[in-house]
Structures are given as structure tokens and as C-alpha cells.
Amino acid sequence: MSAKLTLLPDAEVLLEITADYGGNPLITDELVAREALIDPIRLRRDETLVPLAELSAASVTQHDNWAEFAPASYLPSVTEAQPHTLITAAWRWRSEEPEIVFEMPKGKLHDVLLWTRDQTNPDAPPKWMLLLAGDKSKAIAIHWPPWWQRWQTVMASSVFVLALGYFVSRNFTLRQRTL
């Protein structure tokens, strides 16, 4: 299986995992492919493994072209006669951590080729690694916005401005009454 991780701005992450059930002897039909995509890899948070279903709902699509779902060096050759029938599950979420790590649960039958595409730097070549059952990926840096663009900063600033406005207007009203 191939897992395409797209790093988006503002700490957003898009993970698309593709299973080939047309040209893969380990995945014989669509039902087996859908089962393999239920819990292919997990996100490591501290010492716990979080299933992808807890991060967001998966959207599932079917297609027959590897071009968008595997790095160029991994694509099947043109001379390969066997047709491909692909099914892709995609999860999209905002990362709470500045780095993410994926882990293959032990006992998984299907290996995953995890490759990263940085949408903020499209000229950079994709980085990829093969994950076998029990393997952990390297830490992958997420594109966090600068501190002044984060929603927490905007909320704190808004509360501060409202509180300041309240106290200034209250002070002005008290001065009006004493005159």
C-alpha cells in the first residue's frame, strides 16, 4: 500500500492511503482492500497509538492511475501488463503537535510506503520510507503558522481588546457621574 502525506499550510495534514486490488496478490478483491484501509497505520501521540478514524472521517475513492498516489520512483513501469484497480482512503485533520510520527501496528499483513509531499515547497523532492509491522516513521515536521497567526493568539487578543474597552468605558462613565 502507498500512503501519501501532504503537508498543508496552517498545520493541516492530508493522508491518502491507496491499496491496489487489481495487481496485488495479497489484496485479492475490493472487500479485502477496504478492510486493509480501515486501520492501516496509526498516529503516535506521546506513548499512545491513535487510529486515523479518531482524527477524521475517511473519504474513499476508486481509480486506476498510480500517478498521484505514489512517488515517481515507485510507479509501475509502462511495460507492466497487469491492470491496476486502486482504492484510496483519505483523512484530513489539523495537527495539534509540531511534529507527527506514524506507526504500523504489530501483526499487520500489508507494508506501507509512506511518502511526504510538502505543498508549501512543491519543488522539494518527496521523502519516503517503508513501514513494516511494528515500525515507526521518523518525526515529520508540520507547518505551524507563526504565533501571531494562530487562532489562540487571535482569541487572546480579542478578549484583551474587549476587556480593555470595557474598563475604559466604565472608567469614562464613572468620571461622567462624579462631575
Side-chain angles (χ1 to χ4, degrees):
M1 293 195 307
S2 173
K4 175 184 170 186
L5 177 68
T6 305
L7 303 174
L8 303 166
D10 298 330
E12 276 199 284
V13 176
L14 173 63
L15 179 64
E16 299 166 294
I17 301 181
T18 302
D20 179 3
Y21 65 93
N24 186 341
L26 295 176
I27 302 176
T28 54
D29 60 17
E30 183 179 350
L31 183 62
V32 175
R34 286 183 182 273
E35 286 175 7
L37 291 173
I38 290 174
D39 187 23
I41 61 176
R42 295 186 180 175
L43 181 70
R44 178 171 273 291
R45 276 197 193 140
D46 301 321
E47 293 304 313
T48 60
L49 294 178
V50 179
L52 298 175
E54 289 184 20
L55 300 171
S56 75
S59 64
V60 179
T61 58
Q62 291 183 309
H63 47 95
D64 59 5
N65 187 2
W66 271 113
E68 282 293 312
F69 300 97
S73 60
Y74 183 72
L75 292 175
S77 67
V78 182
T79 60
E80 191 175 299
Q82 189 151 6
H84 296 279
T85 309
L86 309 172
I87 187 166
T88 299
W91 295 267
R92 186 176 185 147
W93 71 95
R94 185 175 309 277
S95 177
E96 298 171 4
E97 305 291 328
E99 292 182 332
I100 58 175
V101 174
F102 292 102
E103 187 168 330
M104 286 280 295
K106 292 181 180 178
K108 288 289 182 179
L109 175 65
H110 307 289
D111 304 335
V112 173
L113 175 72
L114 175 65
W115 64 290
T116 305
R117 197 187 90 186
D118 188 350
Q119 192 174 33
T120 61
N121 186 6
D123 295 333
K127 297 175 185 170
W128 58 276
M129 62 194 88
L130 184 63
L131 297 175
L132 308 173
D135 284 350
K136 274 194 300 191
S137 72
K138 295 178 183 175
I140 301 166
I142 302 300
H143 297 294
W144 276 50
W147 66 270
W148 64 86
Q149 292 179 349
R150 294 187 191 147
W151 70 269
Q152 296 97 331
T153 305
V154 172
M155 290 299 291
S157 300
S158 300
V159 168
F160 176 74
V161 167
L162 288 173
L164 182 64
Y166 171 76
F167 287 118
V168 166
S169 68
R170 184 161 169 82
N171 189 18
F172 181 73
T173 306
L174 286 175
R175 285 191 181 174
Q176 290 290 336
R177 284 192 210 161
T178 58
L179 292 176

